[in-house]
């Protein structure tokens, strides 16, 4: 190892970081100054990567879970030769910059993950490690190894205090993810001061209890860091936590204190830090020539390593043409087999969660790269996949079903990590009300333009006896309001199949599907081309003439309720519209929306959720047939009666 060049790189990371943060007058210098050696040794000596091809499929992945320290990552990416220029660094935290305040996937070359709020990065890293092990089990052969890489993450105290890191770390230990290596920047400082005020966990014992290997060292001994990584790699059956003692803001006048955590050092502070570190005091954005020269030589090695991998891959593909064809299907999301979609006829009666289960199984047969599972609700969520190869575990890497346990937040972020890795598409399932537990991850997935698939069942007051804590009346609106999240609430089994097709087709946004616990009758559709129309958000189920007296905009189980209510009303022409996706419908042009709604004298909305977002469609609050209160505990039908939310009650609204 060229220790002198590594130290020059670490010095350059500190220089670029403090100057970028000072120029922006915003940012967190503590972590970049405190952990510069780790970044230098990781990108220079440890990781398998190639800046000339940042999407090389068998590269190692690095996730900066402590994303507030983003200048650490941008600086080392610049030095290593990724498409992060000095001008990009000088525009840190500015509009349109490739160096935003926290790393964002898709904005910056070499950034593997939008780590987002603390704790989510390590959970995504778990997902990446899951994906690596799944793909290795499917595609490596006795003669050729084409999937063989590691996932690294850097966490701080803040990450480890957040609950999602506990969920994800516990899962990683259970799964025995030996190719996951996490570094803990142990500086004992957070924004409010020493972490001893709030965080006195024995982190080593905690991670040992999760089933991890735990190693200890110093952030400032680059040889030791490299040696610890080699020890970590020799442990094949456990993930590894490497605890590195560090000094936050190393070199700054107030190093080791909360003052250097999240604020620029100031011009005088930068000058003093540079003097302490041996940098030119008045130079801005200084990079040691030795650092540039070191990484220039390294780029030749990395290119050679990828070229060698390319040769192995070509030999593997020639010897295993069927596997090679499957590899292409996995990475390009092509069908791997045929499967005829489930079909239904009018009058069939089944819960949409049951229909979802049938569609999931068909999709799983058609697309072998579809993997996932449920947060301990496989039976109620109907997510059992018949041809799943068994449960994915430490002893069965070929399994497609992931048993997430009762860890909704981690489940969602592991899904994101799988999708970020590439080669697989992940779904996850739970009760709709528990979407609140994973909402922060869903938001980051939407921001990252990831096509996560969420199966949410038990979607309304018809959950019944579990009571109001499990009846998600406000959740439809809460999910619809997240930008770039698609929320689908199918009204019957046929619509459930269309919803699944739309979810699989998504390439740049998460899709949330809400399914019923109770049985719903498959209804006749007035629109004979309804599948295509529904893909625009809404379609006409019951015509009611070109100029209906009333148009009912209904979702989910309330479509059947609306059809039944219309039968109870005489003397009025009533159109029933199924709104599969309210947000998508509202994005259509005015002629389409007018065609669907018709020239109705009244519009009534029927949905087993709060009225929020529907107000613009009605001329009177009395036409909002919604539920703007919490539910009750009791049999589903009795709860509906008590809340006056039945077909008969809707008919009274229509008769007004």
């Amino acid at each position: 190892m060229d220790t002198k060049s590594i130290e020059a790189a670490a010095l350059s990371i500190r220089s670029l970081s403090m100057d970028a943060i000072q120029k922006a007058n915003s940012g967190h210098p503590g972590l970049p100054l405190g952990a510069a050696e780790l970044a230098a040794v990781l990108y220079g000596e440890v990781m398998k990567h190639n800046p000339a091809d940042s999407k090389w499929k068998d590269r190692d992945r690095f996730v900066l879970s402590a994303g507030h320290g983003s200048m650490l990552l941008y600086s080392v990416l610049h030095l290593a030769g990724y498409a992060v220029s000095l001008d990009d660094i000088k525009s840190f935290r500015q509009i349109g910059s490739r160096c935003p305040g926290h790393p964002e996937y898709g904005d910056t070359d070499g950034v593997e993950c939008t780590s987002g709020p603390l704790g989510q990065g390590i959970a995504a890293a778990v997902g990446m490690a899951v994906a690596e092990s799944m793909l290795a089990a499917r595609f490596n052969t006795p003669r050729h190894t084409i999937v063989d890489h590691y996932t690294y993450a850097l966490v701080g105290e803040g990450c480890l205090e957040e609950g999602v890191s506990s969920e994800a770390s516990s899962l990683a230990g259970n799964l025995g993810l030996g190719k996951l290596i996490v570094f803990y920047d142990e500086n004992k400082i957070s924004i409010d001061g020493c972490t001893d005020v709030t965080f006195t966990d024995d982190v080593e014992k905690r991670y040992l209890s999760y089933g991890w290997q735990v190693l200890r060292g110093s952030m400032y001994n680059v040889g030791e860091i490299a040696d610890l990584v080699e020890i970590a790699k020799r442990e094949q059956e456990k993930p590894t936590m490497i605890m590195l003692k560090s000094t936050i803001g190393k070199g700054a006048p107030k190093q080791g204190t909360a003052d250097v955590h999240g604020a620029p050092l100031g011009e005088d502070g930068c000058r003093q830090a540079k003097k302490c570190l041996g940098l030119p005091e008045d130079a801005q954005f200084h990079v040691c020539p030795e650092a540039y020269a070191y990484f220039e030589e390294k780029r030749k090695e990395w290119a050679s390593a990828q070229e060698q991998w390319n040769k192995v891959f070509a030999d593997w593909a020639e010897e295993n043409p069927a596997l090679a064809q499957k590899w292409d299907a996995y990475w390009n999301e092509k069908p791997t087999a045929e499967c005829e979609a489930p079909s239904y006829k009018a009058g069939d009666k089944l819960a949409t969660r049951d229909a979802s289960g049938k569609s999931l199984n068909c999709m799983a047969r058609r697309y072998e790269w579809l993997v996932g599972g449920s947060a301990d609700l496989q039976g109620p969520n109907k997510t059992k996949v018949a041809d799943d190869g068994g449960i994915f575990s430490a002893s069965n890497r070929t399994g497609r079903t992931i048993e997430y346990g009762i860890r909704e937040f981690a489940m969602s972020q592991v899904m994101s990590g799988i999708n970020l890795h590439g080669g697989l598409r992940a779904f996850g399932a739970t009760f709709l009300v528990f979407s609140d537990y994973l909402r922060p991850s869903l938001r980051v997935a939407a921001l990252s333009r990831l096509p996560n698939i969420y199966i949410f069942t038990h979607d309304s007051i018809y959950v019944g006896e579990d009571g109001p804590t499990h009846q998600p009346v406000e959740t439809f609106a809460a999910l619809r309001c997240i930008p770039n999240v698609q929320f689908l609430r199918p009204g019957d089994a046929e619509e459930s199949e269309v919803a699944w097709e739309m979810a699989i087709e998504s390439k740049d946004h998460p899709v949330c599907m809400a399914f019923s616990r109770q049985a719903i009758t498959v209804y006749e559709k007035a629109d004979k081309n309804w599948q295509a129309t529904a893909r625009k958000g809404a379609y006409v189920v019951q015509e009611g003439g070109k100029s209906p007296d009333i148009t009912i905009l209904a979702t989910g189980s309330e479509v059947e309720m609306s059809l039944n209510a219309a039968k109870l009303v005489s003397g009025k022409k009533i159109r029933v519209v199924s709104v599969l996706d309210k947000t998508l419908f509202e994005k259509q042009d005015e002629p389409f929306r007018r065609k669907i709604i018709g020239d109705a004298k009244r519009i009534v909305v029927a949905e087993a959720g709060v009225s929020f977002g529907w107000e613009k469609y009605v001329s009177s609050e009395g036409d909002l047939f919604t539920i703007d209160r919490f539910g009750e505990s009791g049999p589903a039908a009795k709860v509906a009666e008590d809340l006056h939310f039945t077909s008969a009650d809707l008919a009274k609204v229509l008769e007004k």
Side-chain angles (χ1 to χ4, degrees):
M1 178 189 295
D2 186 349
T3 303
K4 195 170 182 181
S5 294
I6 290 290
E7 290 173 350
L11 201 59
S12 301
I13 290 168
R14 290 190 172 96
S15 170
L16 293 174
S17 296
M18 74 173 84
D19 284 344
I21 292 166
Q22 183 59 36
K23 185 173 187 293
N25 196 29
S26 174
H28 297 72
L31 185 144
L33 269 63
E37 279 79 5
L38 174 62
V41 76
L42 266 180
Y43 276 81
E45 298 291 334
V46 170
M47 286 173 53
K48 178 173 68 173
H49 64 124
N50 183 10
D53 182 4
S54 61
K55 297 301 182 184
W56 175 19
K57 291 181 175 61
D58 199 41
R59 70 190 182 279
D60 289 342
R61 272 75 168 170
F62 173 72
V63 175
L64 182 64
S65 187
H68 56 273
S70 56
M71 271 310 308
L72 175 84
L73 181 55
Y74 301 146
S75 297
V76 75
L77 289 175
H78 167 70
L79 295 175
Y82 288 84
V84 178
S85 69
L86 206 54
D87 286 338
D88 293 329
I89 287 175
K90 290 177 180 179
S91 64
F92 175 58
R93 289 197 165 209
Q94 305 307 303
I95 299 295
S97 172
R98 288 183 182 177
C99 298
H102 285 68
E104 295 184 29
Y105 176 72
D107 283 4
T108 312
D109 187 39
V111 168
E112 299 283 2
C113 170
T114 301
S115 50
L118 291 175
Q120 294 199 45
I122 184 175
V126 172
M128 294 177 186
V130 167
E132 192 277 343
S133 63
M134 283 186 164
L135 291 170
R138 287 162 174 73
F139 292 104
N140 289 342
T141 63
R143 280 175 44 81
H144 298 92
T145 299
I146 61 167
V147 181
D148 182 19
H149 54 266
Y150 286 81
T151 302
Y152 300 95
L154 173 59
V155 303
E157 277 90 359
C159 293
L160 299 187
E161 289 184 54
E162 292 289 355
V164 65
S165 68
S166 298
E167 292 183 25
S169 298
S170 174
L171 179 64
N174 174 267
L175 295 176
L177 299 175
K179 289 191 173 179
L180 173 63
I181 300 173
V182 175
F183 300 93
Y184 170 26
D185 177 22
E186 191 178 7
N187 60 49
K188 305 280 285 182
I189 295 293
S190 63
I191 290 175
D192 282 348
C194 179
T195 54
D196 286 346
V197 176
T198 59
F199 187 57
T200 54
D201 296 16
D202 187 324
V203 173
E204 180 175 5
K205 288 182 179 178
R206 176 175 154 191
Y207 272 80
L208 288 172
S209 76
Y210 291 151
W212 289 51
Q213 172 181 234
V214 180
L215 307 173
R216 287 182 173 273
S218 167
M219 185 69 77
Y220 308 117
N221 186 331
V222 295
E224 182 181 43
I225 292 173
D227 290 342
L228 290 171
V229 171
E230 289 305 310
I231 295 171
K233 288 183 174 181
R234 289 199 289 270
E235 174 54 75
Q236 298 292 309
E237 297 180 357
K238 296 178 180 179
T240 297
M241 164 73 78
I242 300 178
M243 302 174 66
L244 298 174
K245 289 280 188 183
S246 68
T247 301
I248 192 169
K250 184 172 176 61
K254 295 184 179 180
Q255 67 174 17
T257 72
D259 291 336
V260 296
H261 180 282
L265 301 182
E267 291 184 7
D268 187 56
C270 286
R271 193 175 295 110
Q272 290 185 53
K274 291 173 183 177
K275 182 178 180 180
C276 175
L277 294 166
L279 287 161
E281 293 178 37
D282 295 319
Q284 299 291 308
F285 299 96
H286 175 78
V287 175
C288 302
E290 300 94 330
Y292 275 143
Y294 167 73
F295 279 109
E296 185 177 353
E297 284 300 311
K298 282 292 177 180
R299 287 196 287 276
K300 298 174 186 176
E301 293 180 21
W302 297 329
S304 176
Q306 184 175 358
E307 182 58 34
Q308 181 59 38
W309 181 85
N310 289 340
K311 292 177 181 177
V312 173
F313 183 88
D315 289 343
W316 167 85
E318 185 176 356
E319 283 193 19
N320 305 278
L323 266 184
Q325 185 177 13
K326 187 177 288 188
W327 173 273
D328 180 66
Y330 271 54
W331 286 92
N332 294 286
E333 296 196 343
K334 298 177 181 177
T336 54
E338 293 183 1
C339 178
E340 187 174 347
S343 62
Y344 307 93
K345 63 181 183 300
D348 288 346
K349 192 164 186 174
L350 69 163
T352 54
R353 64 169 173 164
D354 291 316
S356 169
K358 295 176 185 292
S359 295
L360 167 60
N361 269 272
C362 180
M363 296 297 177
R365 285 192 290 273
R366 191 181 298 165
Y367 307 111
E368 193 178 291
W369 37 260
L370 181 64
V371 302
S374 169
D376 198 51
L377 291 168
Q378 186 179 92
N381 291 154
K382 305 299 180 183
T383 52
K384 172 63 179 173
V385 177
D387 303 318
D388 64 355
I391 304 299
F392 174 78
S393 67
S395 60
N396 181 25
R397 298 304 195 199
T398 59
R400 297 173 66 184
T401 294
I402 303 170
E403 290 280 13
Y404 284 106
I406 308 166
R407 304 182 181 99
E408 293 87 358
F409 195 170
M411 174 182 73
S412 177
Q413 198 62 2
V414 168
M415 290 163 57
S416 292
I418 292 171
N419 290 336
L420 283 163
H421 181 281
L424 299 165
R425 174 82 79 87
F427 71 86
T430 186
F431 290 164
L432 179 60
V433 75
F434 297 138
S435 65
D436 286 341
Y437 283 20
L438 59 78
R439 183 182 178 87
S441 171
L442 172 59
R443 181 179 182 273
V444 172
L447 180 65
S448 306
R449 300 175 290 279
L450 299 178
N452 297 6
I453 298 175
Y454 296 88
I455 303 166
F456 294 131
T457 68
H458 298 61
D459 71 345
S460 70
I461 60 166
Y462 299 105
V463 172
E465 290 86 349
D466 279 340
T469 59
H470 285 56
Q471 295 168 8
V473 293
E474 78 286 4
T475 309
F476 305 154
L479 292 173
R480 287 179 180 133
C481 76
I482 304 176
N484 205 38
V485 169
Q486 184 168 28
F487 178 74
L488 305 173
R489 189 173 183 234
D492 69 1
E494 289 185 323
E495 289 185 23
S496 298
E497 171 61 22
V498 172
W500 259 104
E501 291 172 359
M502 293 171 71
I504 289 290
E505 291 164 7
S506 168
K507 304 297 181 186
D508 61 1
H509 62 270
V511 178
C512 300
M513 298 179 286
F515 298 108
S516 72
R517 178 194 187 198
Q518 76 278 16
I520 299 173
T521 303
V522 176
Y523 36 77
E524 294 278 2
K525 280 79 171 171
D527 183 347
K528 299 309 176 187
N529 192 34
W530 71 268
Q531 292 97 331
T533 313
R535 288 170 174 270
K536 294 185 176 182
Y539 73 99
V540 176
V541 177
Q542 178 173 292
E543 186 68 43
K546 290 185 178 180
S547 299
D549 297 306
I550 301 172
T551 292
I552 306 174
L553 300 179
T555 76
S557 53
E558 287 68 70
V559 179
E560 181 186 26
M561 173 191 282
S562 299
L563 293 169
N564 291 336
K567 295 174 184 176
L568 301 176
V569 178
S570 59
K572 291 187 177 182
K573 295 180 290 183
I574 298 175
R575 174 174 292 189
V576 176
V577 173
S578 175
V579 185
L580 179 61
D581 181 341
K582 176 177 178 289
T583 304
L584 183 59
F585 176 61
E586 291 171 350
K587 288 180 179 178
Q588 305 304 320
D589 58 34
E590 176 63 24
F592 176 82
R593 285 183 281 123
R594 178 51 52 195
K595 180 182 177 183
I596 296 298
I597 294 174
D599 189 20
K601 301 178 180 66
R602 284 174 64 199
I603 298 176
V604 172
V605 171
E607 183 170 73
V610 296
S611 58
F612 181 82
W614 290 107
E615 301 91 340
K616 62 185 175 183
Y617 288 99
V618 301
S619 56
S620 167
E621 286 188 6
D623 287 342
L624 289 168
F625 192 70
T626 53
I627 303 174
D628 288 283
R629 53 153 290 185
F630 291 120
E632 299 284 353
S633 177
K638 295 294 184 182
V639 172
E641 289 175 11
D642 187 63
L643 297 180
H644 301 287
F645 199 77
T646 66
S647 296
D649 292 301
L650 177 55
K652 292 176 183 177
V653 173
L654 302 176
E655 287 171 342
K656 286 193 306 182

